[in-house]
Amino acid sequence: YPIPPVATPPAGVSVSGTVSTGTKQLPFPAESLPRPLDRFVTECASAIGCDPSYVALPLLVGLASAIGNSRRICLKRGWVEPCIIWGTIVGESGTQKSPAMEAALRPIRKRQHEAIKEHARAVEAHEADLLRHEKELREWKNTKTSGNPPEKPPEPTADRYFVDDVTIESLAVLLQQNPRGLLLVKDELSGWIGSFDKYTNSKGSDASKWLEMFGGRSIIVDRKSGPSKTIYVHRAAVSVCGGIQPGTLQRALGVEHRENGLAARLLLTCPPFRPKKWTESDISHAIEQELADIFGGLYLLQPQRDENGEPHPVDLPLSPAAKEAWIAFYNEHAQEQAELTGDLAASWSKLEGYAARLALIVHCARWAAGDSTLRDPDVIDEQSIEAGVTLSRWFGIEARRVYAILSETPEQREHRRLVEMIESRGGSVTARDVFKSSRRYSSTSDAESVLDSLAKAGVGHWEHPKPGPSGGRPTRHFVLTTCVPETNTPSGGPVSGGFGDSGKEFWGYE
């Protein structure tokens, strides 16, 4: 997965992410994940009937939240990256976003379920303690002793692992009680973005605090009521995961959130739509248990204590080989970013840090899985860095696709979906196949005319099979133009799976 080269935008096209060199999504590099996470992603995607990235992205977010403030990656003195990921799975309704997210985050939900039950038991015990305290307090008052009154038992708080609907104020309280950090899960991510400043009169205040939380920095929330007028969280760590439809994402990420950098902080995946098909495949109990064990191991990671007894993340340095791999990536990525502008340049600036954060997740997951190749749990090695870089580069290529999709005209969107449909059928269709695939085409001739336009634009060509032994006129097939192989993109060539410049006119760029 080499760093994708910069595409020169055609005349009249904004360079802020609207340039698309094709519609085909590169396969998610599940092999970069440590075992058994790679097997879980492929098995789960097969069982649900969705793209593997729909499982992998929420899984990475969930793992990040489990690590939380216990570990950071130290790239050099003065540059550490926290374990915080914001992931967005983009797709139309019915593309299995929710089932994929549910399967990937099930270990966290189970842990939360047990924590709530434990809290209910603690509340019952606390009520009994309160009755005992009231009795002891009355006795103390009656005896009129000079000693201190009996202490009131503290109210128990529930361990929290995830939230789904919170204000900044309530989130700050929960982060005080759970300094490790939290996971925000929204089935529809637009609800999260739309909630900013919903209950305040300070425009932009919520968004700015979320941007601070992405960096694991401190936040201060002032309120008019409550036991404390000021809520201070030293290291506010919240990973975010949710699904959203392309059109909704386009509306939600307006100018404000592109300019303040919120959009650039979202890791995106938007695989082409494919119809659901029944399968008997399922996730094995063994792999589910292995995943649960990894999450359990990550939650056992503890921060260190500073001289004041305050918790502090353990900063993991790079091995010499890992440092070499990081420097090579950093320099190449910096050159790539220098040639970008607008939305993609902003996205590339965050993908740099994401490579390190993803490497940290891979490293900790390898430790929790008992990877025998991991020599030192307190040092990030070259293998973890290379995995983080591979994942970051994949998300960079996907960001190009998603920004292009968000900038489409209705006509371009229809054309893209047509090409995706042809790709889903192996890259070859007949006019009748196209006619039957969509109500948009009134006849086979109408579908054939659209395919003629694709051929004229250089996106594909017609193939005329030779007549068989029995004679007759064979049905001709439209075949998509073969592109550069996905696994061997030469430096400076088009992004893998793209159509280069041959389809500009068809896609409406000229």
Side-chain angles (χ1 to χ4, degrees), residues 8-30:
T8 302
V13 178
S14 167
V15 294
S16 60
T18 62
V19 180
S20 174
T21 56
T23 64
K24 191 172 183 180
Q25 182 193 49
L26 289 179
F28 181 82

Side-chain angles (χ1 to χ4, degrees), residues 55-95:
V55 180
L57 182 51
L59 177 60
L60 289 167
V61 175
L63 293 169
S65 73
I67 299 166
N69 274 327
S70 71
R71 297 292 184 275
R72 295 186 301 191
I73 182 171
C74 180
L75 300 170
K76 66 176 182 179
R77 191 172 67 87
W79 185 4
V80 293
E81 288 287 342
C83 204
I84 298 170
I85 304 291
W86 290 0
T88 307
I89 53 179
V90 186
E92 302 289 352
S93 178
T95 52

Side-chain angles (χ1 to χ4, degrees), residues 84-198:
I84 298 170
I85 304 291
W86 290 0
T88 307
I89 53 179
V90 186
E92 302 289 352
S93 178
T95 52
Q96 306 291 66
K97 299 189 298 295
S98 297
M101 208 161 38
E102 171 65 27
L105 302 178
R106 189 170 294 137
I108 298 178
R109 292 188 180 276
K110 285 185 176 180
R111 180 172 286 267
Q112 184 66 81
H113 177 69
E114 293 301 321
I116 293 299
K117 290 199 301 182
E118 179 62 31
H119 180 251
R121 291 190 288 266
V123 168
E124 289 183 5
H126 180 253
E127 291 174 352
D129 290 341
L130 285 177
L131 293 175
R132 187 162 43 252
H133 171 262
E134 291 174 0
K135 179 181 177 181
E136 293 174 351
L137 185 61
R138 285 195 301 269
E139 292 175 352
W140 176 82
K141 290 179 178 179
N142 291 335
T143 57
K144 298 181 179 179
T145 60
S146 58
N148 294 325
E151 292 187 8
K152 185 177 181 179
E155 183 178 351
T157 59
D159 289 333
R160 293 296 298 270
Y161 299 98
F162 77 89
V163 295
D164 56 11
D165 188 18
V166 290
T167 63
I168 285 291
E169 182 177 314
S170 61
L171 181 61
V173 172
L174 290 173
L175 287 171
Q176 275 190 332
Q177 298 169 352
N178 301 271
R180 187 187 195 91
L182 293 167
L183 168 66
L184 172 68
V185 183
K186 295 291 289 186
D187 198 52
E188 182 54 58
L189 204 59
S190 61
W192 169 56
I193 301 174
S195 69
F196 294 170
D197 304 315
K198 185 175 181 180

Side-chain angles (χ1 to χ4, degrees), residues 219-272:
I219 60 170
I220 298 178
V221 178
D222 296 313
R223 57 183 182 178
K224 297 179 180 179
S225 59
S228 175
K229 299 296 188 293
T230 300
I231 309 172
Y232 174 73
V233 182
H234 184 36
R235 291 185 181 88
V238 182
S239 288
V240 179
C241 182
I244 197 167
Q245 296 189 33
T248 308
L249 179 63
Q250 186 178 33
R251 292 189 295 272
L253 295 180
V255 175
E256 175 190 355
H257 296 313
R258 291 175 185 251
E259 290 181 348
N260 66 18
L262 177 72
R265 286 166 169 79
L266 300 178
L267 289 184
L268 304 163
T269 179
C270 182

